Amino acid sequence: MRLERVAAHVPAGARLADIGSDHGYLPVALMRRGAITAAVAGEVAMTPFHAAERTVRDNELSARITVRLANGLAAIEPQDGITAISICGMGGETIRDILDSDKARLSGRERLILQPNGGEQPLRQWLMDNGYGILCEEILRENRFYYEIIVAERIGPVQYTAEQLYFGPLQMQARSPAFLGKWQRILREKHKTLANFAQARQAVPEDKVQDVARQARWITQLLA
Ligand SMILES: C[S@@+](CC[C@H](N)C(=O)[O-])C[C@H]1O[C@@H](n2cnc3c(N)ncnc32)[C@H](O)[C@@H]1O
């Protein structure tokens, strides 16, 4: 379900780089459907790299999907002509670091389809700081976990408020049931954290308390 929703944001006919591809399921599924024209599956670790190679080979797609053992965007070569990059199933900070550490490999014309597991705020901050506008956001619930999908393209200077970076500018407007459910859960956690802070034997630094209290206030306002 999660990867199906990610797949829906890959433009038809794209040349896709799936970074951190693990078994290579996303590029293989898209290629089998004729939804993309070429793909690179990048993996930094040996076991998933071999798993991706096996999936590609078993589906007889070795001529159209290249599997590369590489760290982050180093999997992308200029001659690949990549038009879309997916980075899914990792923390938002990890996705941000992957994008930031090899910016020279981004042409700026690729669509980014990102599925962070937490850490959405620092990822959105990076997107804003690097001129990427958020075109689409989705949140879905699977097996009690909430997953966010962020689709972005470089459009030039873009400005989001602190709340928009925290909640997601488009999600704040759409207010889907999954979005509201996620933030209700997080608000309960913030209240628990504040109660634990109040009972802690050692005083918790005031700025930390204020930070959590501010987040709880924002969420309360959002849900009001
Ligand atoms: C939890 S899996 C997610 C797999 C798949 N993208 C998905 O969403 O189902 C994360 C994968 O990212 C890979 N990975 C983590 N950091 C990476 C990096 N810097 N470059 C390439 N792959 C990375 C890991 O080896 C792992 O296979």
Side-chain angles (χ1 to χ4, degrees):
M1 166 81 139
R2 179 181 59 84
L3 286 179
E4 273 299 346
R5 292 311 311 155
V6 170
H9 294 284
V10 177
R15 301 179 66 87
L16 176 73
D18 185 40
I19 305 299
S21 200
D22 199 350
H23 286 77
Y25 291 148
L26 181 65
V28 166
L30 285 166
M31 192 62 85
R32 283 178 57 128
R33 294 171 192 177
I36 54 173
T37 51
V40 171
E43 248 308 327
V44 75
M46 217 39 151
T47 305
F49 166 71
H50 287 309
E53 278 194 320
R54 200 173 324 113
T55 311
V56 170
R57 206 174 42 240
D58 290 352
N59 285 274
E60 297 177 4
L61 288 171
S62 303
R64 309 187 74 183
I65 302 179
T66 307
V67 183
R68 294 199 181 115
L69 185 64
N71 187 358
L73 302 183
I76 300 175
E77 303 288 347
Q79 65 271 20
D80 297 328
I82 292 302
T83 60
I85 299 177
S86 51
I87 314 179
C88 304
M90 303 172 213
E93 286 97 341
T94 304
I95 297 178
R96 175 201 60 195
D97 293 345
I98 286 174
L99 290 168
D100 197 59
S101 61
D102 241 334
K103 276 198 258 189
R105 287 186 189 256
L106 294 170
S107 73
R109 290 183 297 276
E110 314 88 347
R111 172 174 292 198
L112 303 181
I113 304 126
L114 312 171
Q115 189 276 294
N117 294 339
E120 290 84 7
Q121 182 188 31
L123 181 56
R124 287 193 196 95
Q125 180 77 52
W126 185 91
L127 291 171
M128 182 176 90
D129 293 346
N130 288 275
Y132 283 84
I134 297 174
L135 306 184
C136 189
E137 286 180 307
E138 214 179 296
I139 181 161
L140 60 126
R141 188 180 166 167
E142 192 174 51
N143 303 330
R144 293 183 47 246
F145 291 104
Y146 290 102
Y147 297 103
E148 294 208 21
I149 299 170
I150 301 172
V151 182
E153 280 181 14
R154 198 182 288 171
I155 57 168
V158 54
Q159 204 58 49
Y160 295 117
T161 64
E163 282 97 333
Q164 285 176 320
L165 292 175
Y166 187 66
F167 294 112
L170 303 179
Q171 312 235 42
M172 277 178 85
Q173 285 174 0
R175 297 176 67 86
S176 68
F179 172 75
L180 296 174
K182 169 182 169 158
W183 288 104
Q184 277 156 0
R185 182 190 284 181
I186 294 179
L187 182 59
R188 285 194 296 275
E189 289 165 5
K190 298 290 175 203
H191 282 154
K192 260 189 224 158
T193 305
L194 287 171
N196 290 340
F197 283 172
Q199 286 171 1
R201 286 219 188 115
Q202 281 187 333
V204 179
E206 189 52 25
D207 57 340
K208 202 168 173 183
V209 178
Q210 287 308 321
D211 184 42
V212 178
R214 182 180 45 82
Q215 292 179 44
R217 228 172 19 249
W218 278 359
I219 305 169
T220 306
Q221 282 162 6
L222 174 96
L223 295 173

